[in-house]
Amino acid sequence: MGFFTDAYDLFCISLVTKLLGRIYYHDTGDDKPGSLPPNVSAAVNGVAFCGTLAGQLFFGWLGDKMGRKKVYGMTLMLMVICSIASGLSFSHEPTAVMATLCFFRFWLGFGIGGDYPLSATIMSEYANKKTRGAFIAAVFAMQGFGILTGGMVACIISATFKSKFPAPAYEDDALGSTVPQADYVWRIILMFGSIPALMTYYWRMKMPETARYTALVAKNAKQAAADMSKVLQVDLEPEPEKIQVKSPNSFGLFSKQFLKRHGLHLLGTTSTWFLLDIAFYSQNLFQKDIFSAIGWIPPAKTMNAIQEVFKISRAQTLIALCSTVPGYWFTVVFIDRIGRFAIQLMGFFFMTVFMFALAIPYHHWTQKENRIGFVVMYALTFFFANFGPNATTFVVPAEIFPARLRSTCHGISAASGKAGAIIGAFGFLYAAQSQDKTKTDKGYPPGIGVKNSLIVLGVVNFLGMLFTFLVPESNGKSLEEMSRENEGEDEEETEMESVRSHENRTVPV
């Protein structure tokens, strides 16, 4: 439910940005509806990702210092408070409303950021090696339902307001096309994200700390056994003498030993997540612009403000239902059968293919009779993002690093992804603008156009495929085997056994 809320909160903003422009930036006499100025639009779309990046690094580090469970409740309460606060504002002045919205969206993102390393680490440390991939992927797959629910909630709210407060299209009556009640629509959509987070809080607080953290990091074997007894509902006895063996592998994150053992792995997880998120988030946040560019969503001036929200959210809901959600669950089903590496490589490969297939004959897809084909191809890029690197980049960092650094390394990898998301959110906003100055959105300079933007995203996906070769396969291996945490301890135990047998001998052999 944490990840369900994360996705809802991150992506619901894309459904209401056009509405915000109409309400707060209406320009009397303009033949186009009001739109957010470029700097405001970039801030509203991207500020949550900046918060998420900071949250992933901070809470990832804190999860290894204080324990997974203690930090888990903090992130959720932050999300609840900031979801509600995002829908409130201190006045009706555009500057004040946008400043308030951006401030609380940043801290909402900060809370969401903590959920990434903690959810992945907790699930990996609870699951067994045969089904671990499916369990971690299932946590992440809730993102799909979050995106779907965001679209559905926006559809229901906008349809309700549309029938209750009918209004003419912008071209018929510019001022009358945005009814005063439209201001409630975006606020309700944003604030709805607090409900699933609030419902989850009690269960998070009841969850015991993971036994791996308690035993390997906190060094409390007795408590670890007691916690696992609760979870498994069997009696377990601690083996203190094993825990007391001093591990030769207690190296830190900035040590030569870490660089030697896991340096390339960390480069692999950070680079692939970074490259994926450039493509994935730019696609997700700006699919409304792409659908408008090919004419799947009617021109803004032919609709009233609430009707536009309905059309955008309906398009996002259809894409989520037909490609995003199935893609995630295909990963859950197959990840422990064909492995992480194969799924990630295949996902990047098909994302590259479909991006180029959309971009190169782009003019063909903009013809009215070919629009459905464009939408199908576009949906397939989402399907292979989710039945591919969008899920595996989340799973693998939770499996391949040592317990005492697992949450930190996952946080670093995820933060690298959010750096890519920020580039996607800010860069695509400008890049996708038409090369013809007369066809750009109000206030924007000419860009490279949707066609060239899609080519760039195709190249990014291809690079992701190459960097996948740095990431090890963790399928079917225990966490200790992958992180090589017990390396050196076996030799130590063998030596101890040899000494004990020597001491107990009474008769020479």
Side-chain angles (χ1 to χ4, degrees), residues 289-344:
D289 301 315
I290 290 170
F291 291 150
S292 297
I294 62 154
W296 204 42
I297 295 173
K301 65 181 180 183
T302 63
M303 300 179 282
N304 65 47
I306 296 175
Q307 191 180 359
E308 188 176 29
V309 175
F310 178 78
K311 295 272 188 186
I312 290 166
S313 52
R314 187 180 65 176
Q316 179 164 313
T317 304
L318 284 169
I319 288 287
L321 192 62
C322 299
S323 65
T324 308
V325 172
Y328 280 117
W329 291 97
F330 263 69
T331 303
V332 173
V333 171
F334 290 106
I335 193 165
D336 289 315
R337 298 181 190 183
I338 62 178
R340 288 76 164 140
F341 178 81
I343 288 178
Q344 186 161 313

Side-chain angles (χ1 to χ4, degrees), residues 120-133:
T121 302
I122 286 169
M123 200 68 256
S124 72
E125 292 183 345
Y126 268 125
N128 67 60
K129 65 184 178 184
K130 283 185 181 175
T131 57
R132 187 178 62 234

Side-chain angles (χ1 to χ4, degrees), residues 404-452:
R404 69 189 173 281
L405 299 171
R406 188 168 291 136
S407 180
T408 305
C409 289
H410 195 286
I412 292 168
S413 303
S416 173
K418 281 300 161 287
I422 291 165
I423 290 171
F426 290 107
F428 198 81
L429 196 65
Y430 289 91
Q433 294 298 320
S434 173
Q435 291 171 303
D436 181 351
K437 197 170 185 180
T438 59
K439 293 181 181 176
T440 61
D441 289 342
K442 192 178 171 185
Y444 286 86
I448 59 172
V450 174
K451 174 179 177 169
N452 292 329

Side-chain angles (χ1 to χ4, degrees), residues 442-460:
K442 192 178 171 185
Y444 286 86
I448 59 172
V450 174
K451 174 179 177 169
N452 292 329
S453 298
L454 291 172
I455 290 173
V456 170
L457 294 183
V459 172
V460 165

